[in-house]
Amino acid sequence: MNAPLRRVGVVVMVLFGLLFANLNWIQAYKADEYRTSDYNGRVQVDEYKRKRGNIEAGGTAFAVSRETSGELTYQRTYPKGPEYAHILGYKPVNLAETGIEKSENDFLAGTSDRLIANRVKDMFTGDQTGGANVLLTVSKQAQNVAYEQLRNNRQDVSKGAAIAIDPRTGAVQALVSMPSFDPNPLASHDSDTATAAYNKLDQDPAGPLKNRAVGEVLPPGSTFKIVVAAAALENGIGQTTQIPAGSEWTPPTSGQPIRNAVQSICPERQVTLLNAVTESCNTGFAQLGVRLGADTVKEKARQFGFEDEDLTVGRLGEGGLGVAASRTGDMQNPDGSTDPAALAQSSIGQNNVRMTPLQGALIAATVGNDGRQMRPYLVRQVLGPDRTTDYYTAQPRELRQPVTGQVAKDLRDMMVSVVENGTGRNARISGYTVGGKTGTAQSAPNRPDHGWFIGFALDKQGNPVSAVCVVLEEAGSGGSAEAARIAGQIMRAAINDPGGR
C-alpha cells in the first residue's frame, strides 16, 4: 500500500475512533442529563401526567392544575391572574419557572425525595399521585386591598409596590408589585404563545416582570431617618434632646445647601429629636448624621438589614423569592476620608442610599416588635397530596435584634407622633395605634419624586399586628401622603383577615 493510501486509512480510523468515543461518552456519562433535560419532549409529557400541587392562601387555591385533552395532561392556571403574579410566579412548559412555583417546584411537581413513597406506590398501582400542596401566609383580604389600591392609586402612577408582614412572626401578609402581569399565557402549552407573551412582557419599558417589592431598590428618602434616629438614641440623644435645625444648612466642603420640604418645617435654630422626626426635618437629620459619623450611620443600617445579600422570602431559611440587598452606598472622598456632604445627604435617605420595600417593612416591624426583627417568610405549610401528611410547617424565628427594647419604644413614640401630628395622618386606623414615617425621595433630574411610607399598627394591648411599606414611583407632590393612605388600608385589611401565621 502506498503512503497516501496509508495516511487516508489512518485518518479514517482516527475518525471512527472519535465517533465511537463520542457515542460512549453520550451513553455512559451524558445519558442522565439528556434523559432529564427540559428539552426532552418525553420528559415534559411524563411531568405533565402528574397533577401539580396547589398553591393556596386562606383556603383558596391561586395556582391549580386542570386536566386537558392534549398530550400534556394537565394545564397550570392562575385564577386571580395579576393579583398574585409576583408571589406565585409561573410554571411554563419551555421557559424557566419563577416565584414560589420555582422555589417549591420539587414538592409541587411530586419529585421531592420526601415524596418517594408515593412514587414507589405508583410503580405498583399504575397511578400518578399528584404533587404536594403549598400553603402561603398571605391574607386574601390584605392582598386584594394592596393590589386594588396600588392599581387605582389617587396619584395615577403605574409603578410601585407594597408589602405587609406580621411583626411578631415575619409572616408576609401581602406582597404586590405594579405593574403586574397575567401569568396564564406564560403557562400555555402552545410554546409559540408562551414565548410571544414572555417577549412582550420582557420588552415592556414599565418592567411588569420586575418584583419591585423585594427585587428593586430606590432611594428611601425620609423613611431612612428612622435608622439615623435609632443611632442617635444609642449615642446619648433622647427624644427631647435639642438638635441643630434651621430652614437650611450647608454641609462643610459643600456649596449646596440642604433645605426642608417647605419653609414652615423646623425653621428654628434647634428642635427636639421628637419634633425632627414628626416634622421630617431635613436640616436637623443632615446635621445629626454628620455629628454621628459615617461609620455609626452605616453600622446601624447594617444592623437593620442593609447590605444583607443572603435573604430570601419563601420557606424559612430554605430559598424562595430572591431579595435585593439594600445599600447605604459610598459616603467618602477619593482619599478615603468621610465626605460630609455625602453623609448629610445619605442621612436624609438620598445620595447613594437604596432600599427595597421589604427592608422598609422590616424596619417598621422591628420598631413595632420591641426591637426584634423576625425572619420574613411566605410558605406557611407544605401538605402532601392527601392533605394529611405534613412535610413542613413554619416555625417563626428571629433574624436579628437591631435595637434594644427601650430604643424601639422611643422610636415607636416618635413614629406614632408622625401619624397623629405629622405627615402620616392618612395611615390612621380607628381603634388601633399606628406609627409610621413618610418619605419623599428625589428621582432622576426633571422627573417627579418617589413617595414612601413605612409603618406599623398596634392593638389595644400594644401588640403589633401588621407592618407595611408602600412606595409609589415618581408620584410627585402628595405621593408620600397617598402611600400612607394605602398603607393604612392594607394594615386595616390585615387586621380583619390576618392570614396564615
Side-chain angles (χ1 to χ4, degrees):
M1 183 180 294
N2 58 31
L5 287 176
R6 283 198 301 273
R7 286 196 291 271
V8 170
V10 169
V11 170
V12 171
M13 291 177 65
V14 169
L15 291 175
F16 271 108
L18 292 173
L19 177 62
F20 284 120
N22 184 58
L23 288 173
N24 284 317
W25 169 257
I26 291 173
Q27 291 179 349
Y29 295 100
K30 303 286 285 184
D32 285 343
E33 180 179 333
Y34 288 130
R35 185 170 57 252
T36 59
S37 171
D38 291 338
Y39 296 101
N40 185 336
R42 290 193 299 269
V43 171
Q44 290 181 344
V45 171
D46 185 64
E47 178 184 6
Y48 281 82
K49 282 182 180 178
R50 178 178 284 113
K51 186 175 182 179
R52 192 172 177 84
N54 293 340
I55 305 177
E56 305 175 7
T60 300
F62 294 104
V64 298
S65 292
R66 305 193 186 283
E67 194 166 359
T68 74
S69 58
E71 184 180 28
L72 302 183
T73 308
Y74 289 98
Q75 169 76 54
R76 196 63 163 171
T77 60
Y78 304 94
K80 279 288 187 176
E83 186 173 320
Y84 283 78
H86 289 98
I87 296 176
L88 305 177
Y90 49 87
K91 175 66 172 83
V93 175
N94 290 313
L95 301 170
E97 61 267 13
T98 65
I100 294 298
E101 289 277 33
K102 176 181 180 180
S103 64
E104 297 298 326
N105 182 63
D106 287 351
F107 274 113
L108 291 166
T111 57
S112 169
D113 290 343
R114 297 187 63 186
L115 297 171
I116 191 170
N118 291 329
R119 298 200 298 275
V120 171
K121 182 188 70 174
D122 290 347
M123 291 174 59
F124 293 97
T125 63
D127 295 333
Q128 290 285 349
T129 303
N133 303 286
V134 174
L135 281 56
L136 303 178
T137 60
V138 173
S139 156
K140 291 188 295 184
Q141 188 172 336
Q143 181 72 11
N144 180 255
V145 167
Y147 176 73
E148 293 297 336
Q149 290 292 325
L150 277 181
R151 192 162 67 107
N152 300 303
N153 68 85
R154 296 175 183 175
Q155 295 297 108
D156 196 30
V157 297
S158 61
K159 294 187 288 187
I163 183 166
I165 59 180
D166 184 334
R168 295 167 293 182
T169 65
V172 174
Q173 298 167 327
L175 188 157
V176 174
S177 176
M178 295 295 289
S180 191
F181 64 94
D182 184 358
N184 286 294
L186 299 170
S188 171
H189 289 180
D190 184 328
S191 59
D192 291 338
T193 298
T195 300
Y198 175 80
N199 289 337
K200 182 179 179 180
L201 292 168
D202 188 49
Q203 295 164 13
D204 188 333
L209 293 176
K210 294 179 179 179
N211 192 333
R212 288 173 161 83
V214 297
E216 298 292 309
V217 293
L218 290 171
S222 293
T223 61
F224 189 71
K225 291 173 182 174
I226 299 304
V227 173
V228 179
L233 290 167
E234 292 177 343
N235 284 272
I237 298 173
Q239 290 192 57
T240 59
T241 302
Q242 297 281 331
I243 63 172
S247 57
E248 68 175 52
W249 179 69
T250 302
T253 74
S254 172
Q256 296 295 321
I258 291 174
R259 297 184 176 90
N260 299 309
V262 294
Q263 290 185 348
S264 60
I265 293 177
C266 59
E268 306 92 335
R269 189 173 62 85
Q270 289 189 322
V271 296
T272 65
L273 181 62
L274 172 62
N275 286 338
V277 172
T278 303
E279 296 185 56
S280 199
C281 182
N282 289 340
T283 56
F285 271 92
Q287 294 175 78
L288 182 59
V290 172
R291 171 180 169 181
L292 291 168
D295 290 344
T296 298
V297 172
K298 289 174 74 71
E299 175 59 19
K300 182 46 61 181
R302 188 195 65 78
Q303 291 171 9
F304 268 101
F306 280 72
E307 319 300 338
D308 187 345
E309 298 181 354
D310 299 321
L311 189 63
T312 58
V313 183
R315 263 190 288 163
L316 281 166
E318 299 184 47
L321 308 185
V323 178
S326 299
R327 306 284 190 189
T328 50
D330 189 12
M331 305 177 192
Q332 294 178 321
N333 291 308
D335 63 2
S337 62
T338 297
D339 179 357
L343 174 54
Q345 288 287 343
S346 297
S347 299
I348 59 173
Q350 293 288 168
N351 191 38
N352 296 315
V353 181
R354 297 293 182 271
M355 186 174 80
T356 62
L358 172 61
Q359 180 61 59
L362 287 175
I363 291 171
T366 302
V367 174
N369 195 40
D370 295 323
R372 298 173 62 231
Q373 188 177 112
M374 304 302 288
R375 183 177 291 275
Y377 65 100
L378 261 168
V379 177
R380 178 170 63 88
Q381 198 172 18
V382 178
L383 295 178
D386 59 4
R387 304 191 70 86
T388 60
T389 307
D390 185 348
Y391 291 102
Y392 168 84
T393 296
Q395 299 294 327
R397 58 179 182 262
E398 186 176 304
L399 178 60
R400 52 178 70 93
Q401 184 161 358
V403 293
T404 65
Q406 181 58 53
V407 170
K409 180 182 181 302
D410 288 339
L411 291 171
R412 196 157 55 241
D413 291 343
M414 291 189 284
M415 292 177 72
V416 169
S417 181
V418 170
V419 173
E420 293 184 351
N421 309 304
T423 56
R425 290 182 176 89
N426 284 354
R428 288 178 291 188
I429 302 172
S430 178
Y432 290 82
T433 300
V434 178
K437 185 69 190 79
T438 55
T440 300
Q442 293 178 352
S443 180
N446 302 317
R447 304 188 75 168
D449 295 337
H450 305 307
W452 286 84
F453 181 83
I454 64 173
F456 56 82
L458 310 176
D459 64 19
K460 292 180 179 179
Q461 289 72 45
N463 300 311
V465 290
S466 186
V468 69
C469 178
V470 174
V471 60
L472 299 175
E473 295 186 26
E474 298 183 6
S477 177
S480 61
E482 174 64 356
R485 186 192 67 81
I486 293 172
Q489 295 289 325
I490 295 170
M491 289 190 289
R492 181 182 289 108
I495 289 167
N496 293 332
D497 172 29
R501 291 181 178 175

